Every structure is written in C-alpha cells, then in structure tokens.
C-alpha cells in the first residue's frame, strides 16, 4: 500500500529531524491501517514520538481547531509564504492524482478550510508535474525549518531527481540539473 509506505517515510523523517513536529493522521483505516499495523512498533512506539491517528475524518479530529487548518494542495491559488506555528497543515493522502484532479482543493472547499500550495514555482522550474508525494511534502516542511525558513534549500534537499529541476535565480532559470540522492 503506497499511502502506508509514505506515512512510514514521514514518521522516519520526523524521527530523524532536529526539529520534529506532531503528526496526526485522520481517517486511518482499511488496507492502509492494516499495512501499518504490521510494522514493528506501530502504534505504541509511534505514539510516544508525537504521532497520533484516528479512523475519524479530519474535521471530527479538529473540530475546535477548524480555523487553524490549512489544506496543502498544488491546485490552490494561495502560495504558502511561511509556516505559521499556530496553523495545522494538512497533507492529503490521495495517491492517484491523475484520476482525481482537484480532489484536495474540492474537499477543502467543501469543509470550508483554507488552502495553500508550496512556493515551488517561485524557486524552481520543474519539467514534470509539481505534484509531490505525501512524504516529499512533509519532508519539505521539515527541511524548511531546518534550513532557517528557506523554501528553495528545503525543496532542493528533498525533490527527487526525476522531477528534472532547474533553480530560478532572480526570475531566471539557472542551467544544470540539481543532484539529489532522494528518488523515492
């Protein structure tokens, strides 16, 4: 199960991070939960390391904090300029993007939740889709803090090679591909 694997990558990245954050997974059930439940230490050890989960939907988990929710989606018109410690950032777990265009944006609108996209186009030129896996988005957020709130450095350290990336310097692309070991 692809989503279960991505959740595992997020947990591992958070565990290694010098600036870990609290991870909360909503609507965790079915095949994804079954796959995670086979992982040694899940959920007991994970819970002791700032991880929580529920089979309840997102809005039921965060009823009192609804105004703090920000759904991250590449379809948003709003660009995330900085991370606000008072906000709760939602990374959707929809794996098959091509089949479900605008699914996260539409879901956020249904719920009345604010949306934002990572500032990828302000810092990088991608020659493939700007859609990232759940774990890549999570790692970019961790790296943003680690790199003193520098989006470009955060994205360069996480983006997989297959994204065929060029840096944007002062509005122009810098020639050359970015060498990055991450190709998950």
């Amino acid at each position: 199960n692809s989503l279960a694997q991505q959740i595992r990558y997020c947990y591992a990245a958070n565990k290694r991070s010098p600036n870990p954050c609290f991870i909360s997974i909503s609507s965790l059930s079915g095949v994804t939960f079954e796959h995670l439940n086979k992982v040694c230490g899940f959920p007991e050890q994970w819970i002791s390391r700032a991880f929580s989960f529920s089979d309840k939907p997102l809005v039921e988990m965060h009823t009192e904090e609804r105004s703090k929710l920000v759904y991250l989606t590449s379809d948003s018109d709003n660009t995330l300029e900085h991370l606000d410690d008072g906000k709760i950032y939602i990374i959707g777990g929809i794996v098959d993007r091509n089949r479900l265009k605008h699914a996260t944006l539409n879901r956020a609108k249904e719920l009345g939740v604010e949306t934002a996209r990572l500032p990828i186009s302000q810092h990088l030129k991608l020659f493939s889709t700007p859609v990232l896996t759940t774990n890549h988005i999570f790692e970019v957020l961790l790296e943003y803090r680690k790199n003193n709130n520098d989006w470009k450095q955060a994205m360069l350290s996480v983006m997989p090679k297959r994204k065929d990336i060029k840096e944007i310097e002062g509005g122009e692309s810098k020639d050359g591909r970015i060498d990055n070991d991450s190709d998950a």
Side-chain angles (χ1 to χ4, degrees):
N1 180 299
S2 181
L3 182 56
Q5 188 63 44
Q6 290 177 39
I7 292 169
R8 289 178 67 186
Y9 288 147
C10 292
Y11 171 75
N14 200 45
K15 191 173 158 185
R16 288 188 310 268
S17 175
N19 304 308
C21 64
F22 186 78
I23 302 175
S24 176
I25 309 287
S26 64
S27 303
L28 183 58
S29 60
V31 176
T32 303
F33 178 76
E34 289 172 20
H35 278 275
L36 287 172
N37 213 25
K38 293 176 186 173
V39 175
C40 183
F42 181 86
E44 299 82 16
Q45 290 177 6
W46 290 35
I47 290 170
S48 69
R49 293 188 174 105
F51 179 90
S52 73
F53 69 94
S54 174
D55 59 352
K56 293 179 183 176
L58 172 72
V59 290
E60 285 183 35
M61 280 184 74
H62 298 285
T63 343
E64 302 294 317
E65 303 156 314
R66 195 178 197 134
S67 64
K68 296 178 181 181
L69 299 176
V70 179
Y71 217 125
L72 298 178
T73 172
S74 61
D75 297 319
S76 179
D77 291 331
N78 308 315
T79 302
L80 187 62
E81 300 297 331
H82 67 279
L83 291 178
D84 179 343
D85 291 336
K87 297 286 186 178
I88 299 169
Y89 295 97
I90 304 160
I91 303 170
I94 298 171
V95 176
D96 189 357
R97 161 81 178 172
N98 296 324
R99 222 170 26 100
L100 303 166
K101 290 197 181 286
H102 301 287
T104 53
L105 182 64
N106 293 338
R107 181 69 176 138
K109 285 180 180 177
E110 287 171 19
L111 299 173
V113 172
E114 181 183 343
T115 64
R117 70 174 182 272
L118 294 179
I120 296 171
S121 61
Q122 284 83 346
H123 302 286
L124 305 174
K125 181 166 177 67
L126 303 183
F127 295 93
S128 65
T129 177
V131 178
L132 300 172
T133 61
T134 300
N135 55 291
H136 285 134
I137 296 168
F138 182 77
E139 289 178 52
V140 166
L141 299 178
L142 285 177
E143 289 293 318
Y144 173 76
R145 290 289 195 217
K146 181 179 171 187
N147 287 289
N148 297 314
N149 301 336
D150 185 329
W151 282 118
K152 183 187 276 188
Q153 282 309 113
M155 290 183 275
L156 288 173
S157 68
V158 172
M159 292 284 199
K161 283 186 252 183
R162 71 176 178 272
K163 288 291 181 186
D164 197 12
I165 304 165
K166 287 189 180 181
E167 291 181 58
I168 295 176
E169 302 271 347
E172 295 182 22
S173 293
K174 179 180 169 184
D175 289 334
R177 288 193 169 52
I178 305 305
D179 184 22
N180 187 327
D181 292 333
S182 176
D183 198 9

